[in-house]
Amino acid sequence: NQTSEKKLSESSESNEKISGKDGALAEQMAWSTFGVGSSTYVQTAGIADALTTKYGLKIRILPSDTSVGRIQGILNHEVDYTVTADGAYFASYGLYDFANLDLGPSKDLRALLARPGSTTAVTTKKSGIITPEDFKGTRLAWIPGSTSVNIKAVACLAYAGLTLDDVTRVIAPSYKAAVDLIKNGEADWMIGQVTAAHWHELESMGLGVKFIEFPAKNKEGWERLQKVTPWLYPGIAKEGVGFNKPIEVPNYVNPLIVTTTEKSVEEVYNLTKAIDESYDLYKDIDPLMPGWKIELSSQFPVQCPYHEGAIKYFKEKGLWTEKHENWNKNYLEELEKVSEAWKTFKERAKEEKIEDKEIHDAWIKVLKEVLGKEFPENYDK
């Protein structure tokens, strides 16, 4: 982006010292994120470049295509921070890829900043799908192993009182292949973000792109949806590919910056502050960057609890409310219960020789008993 590059290169201010008592940031850090070419990689690189320009920090970005790779990187001290998404939720509760005896739940993941975004069911204007209830009897593009995408499809079905039994799954080996299925008329719908550039092709082909709405007034529908994906919430997308008026779609955090409790309060405070105060240097790098404004990226629900250092900065900015505090406190209390329950479950799983493929569903039965709420089954087993 020429505008952002010019802004970075023309910045004449000398590298500023990051304020704070005694938690100055290391001059060199390693961050992990999604693969090169992804929107998240572009956002991560933009923020890192801004921090280099303003503060002289040297940030090495390591792409990782899997949630496990990104999360384990910070837990194993291979990187300092990760810019990730739903994997932080799966790792916190030990779900899906983390539901194995070598990994399991982690109570130590903490968020710094969390950019809100919109996601929904995407189809063509020729498909005949108008509302979620129209999913019955349709063909869903399904990506084996892409839990974050697939589980949202199950949630969208749940909103309409439907299940996977009500649709035909058409297998796609990758997200791009799923988009091709829609484009070629081999599948009717899939999950996607309303701002994704690849939807422009459907428009140019004359197929038209349609984003299915999930009105908040259907409280029973949303209750069913959130039993599958509690980190999704009723939201508004004001603009996207093929539309320029507000639509009601699920909102969620994607991506978020995550570290662990091992990072000090002062260090995380300083980094959170530095990212906020360098916003003008990276805001034009990608159309999604405005979501990193501190007023937006300090909200909840988030896929893991906030770090005390980030909370300290939010309080300083007048952004941390009683509702924030209660949400964060409840999440922390849940994760303590989860951690204790996993210890007992892990011993039982070894004694009873529970097969690897059965670990997830056996574990969520324990979660339901311990926490008294729903957890999604393993749709990809």
Side-chain angles (χ1 to χ4, degrees):
N1 184 298
Q2 292 182 346
T3 303
S4 59
E5 288 176 0
K6 183 178 180 182
K7 185 168 288 187
L8 286 170
S9 64
E10 290 183 351
S11 178
S12 59
E13 60 185 330
S14 58
N15 293 336
E16 299 177 12
K17 184 178 180 181
I18 297 175
S19 61
K21 292 181 179 179
D22 53 7
L25 290 170
E27 291 185 2
Q28 296 188 12
M29 287 184 282
W31 293 11
S32 66
T33 190
F34 288 74
V36 176
S38 67
S39 173
T40 301
Y41 185 93
V42 172
Q43 293 174 61
T44 304
I47 293 172
D49 287 346
L51 293 174
T52 297
T53 299
K54 192 173 180 67
Y55 299 107
L57 301 177
K58 296 178 181 178
I59 300 174
R60 186 162 56 105
I61 300 175
L62 303 175
S64 177
D65 290 326
T66 68
S67 295
V68 171
R70 291 188 291 274
I71 298 298
Q72 289 303 111
I74 53 173
L75 292 175
N76 296 336
H77 309 105
E78 296 165 357
V79 296
D80 299 287
Y81 299 87
T82 184
V83 185
T84 189
D86 295 344
Y89 178 87
F90 301 146
S92 294
Y93 288 100
L95 302 173
Y96 296 108
D97 290 340
F98 297 90
N100 69 67
L101 301 187
D102 293 326
L103 297 176
S106 173
K107 65 178 182 178
D108 297 323
L109 300 178
R110 296 292 184 272
L112 279 73
L113 292 166
R115 187 192 70 79
S118 299
T119 188
T120 191
V122 187
T123 184
T124 66
K125 291 181 179 178
K126 294 186 176 183
S127 71
I129 300 174
I130 305 298
T131 70
E133 287 72 22
D134 295 328
F135 291 141
K136 188 174 180 64
T138 60
R139 299 166 299 170
L140 165 64
W142 186 266
I143 311 167
S146 185
T147 304
S148 181
V149 174
N150 293 340
I151 197 170
K152 294 184 182 72
V154 175
C156 287
L157 288 168
Y159 177 94
L162 303 173
T163 71
L164 287 173
D165 291 335
D166 294 303
V167 298
T168 298
R169 282 182 274 183
V170 183
I171 303 301
S174 67
Y175 192 86
K176 180 181 182 302
V179 175
D180 288 340
L181 288 176
I182 304 297
K183 181 176 65 177
N184 297 330
E186 299 173 86
D188 300 307
W189 64 284
M190 64 178 293
I191 296 299
Q193 296 188 33
V194 300
T195 53
H198 44 250
W199 304 132
H200 285 292
E201 189 172 358
L202 297 182
E203 290 283 283
S204 65
M205 292 173 64
L207 296 171
V209 60
K210 181 172 180 57
F211 301 104
I212 304 302
E213 295 196 58
F214 292 80
K217 66 180 181 182
N218 185 346
K219 297 187 182 302
E220 291 183 356
W222 265 101
E223 183 178 342
R224 291 192 296 267
L225 185 152
Q226 289 181 317
K227 284 183 178 179
V228 180
T229 51
W231 62 93
L232 297 184
Y233 56 93
I236 300 291
K238 294 184 178 180
E239 60 181 353
V241 179
F243 73 95
N244 55 13
K245 64 178 182 179
I247 59 175
E248 291 188 87
V249 296
N251 277 11
Y252 76 122
V253 165
N254 182 26
L256 67 159
I257 303 173
V258 177
T259 190
T260 70
T261 52
E262 290 189 24
K263 292 294 183 186
S264 71
V265 171
E266 288 302 324
E267 177 180 336
V268 172
Y269 166 86
N270 283 329
L271 182 56
T272 306
K273 181 177 182 178
I275 294 172
D276 176 35
E277 294 188 345
S278 58
Y279 173 74
D280 284 343
L281 291 176
Y282 62 77
K283 67 180 182 180
D284 298 320
I285 285 177
D286 185 87
L288 297 175
M289 284 316 217
W292 288 107
K293 288 180 181 178
I294 192 68
E295 295 83 4
L296 299 176
S297 58
S298 57
Q299 297 303 311
F300 70 94
V302 184
Q303 287 90 329
C304 63
Y306 277 109
H307 194 286
E308 283 296 322
I311 294 172
K312 177 182 175 182
Y313 186 65
F314 298 158
K315 288 180 177 179
E316 186 177 285
K317 299 286 287 187
L319 298 171
W320 191 255
T321 67
E322 184 177 351
K323 289 183 178 179
H324 281 77
E325 183 66 29
N326 290 337
W327 175 85
N328 213 63
K329 180 182 177 182
N330 289 339
Y331 206 152
L332 293 172
E333 290 175 353
E334 276 199 2
L335 294 186
E336 287 294 337
K337 295 177 182 178
V338 169
S339 180
E340 289 301 313
W342 176 257
K343 294 176 184 177
T344 303
F345 173 81
K346 188 174 181 178
E347 292 178 2
R348 178 168 70 84
K350 289 180 178 179
E351 291 175 359
E352 298 178 5
K353 298 181 179 179
I354 299 176
E355 295 184 19
D356 291 345
K357 64 180 181 180
E358 301 299 332
I359 289 291
H360 182 280
D361 288 350
W363 167 234
I364 62 170
K365 289 180 181 178
V366 175
L367 282 178
K368 290 178 181 180
E369 293 174 2
V370 170
L371 300 179
K373 65 180 186 180
E374 292 295 317
F375 282 88
E377 61 185 271
N378 186 359
Y379 301 105
D380 274 328
K381 65 181 178 180

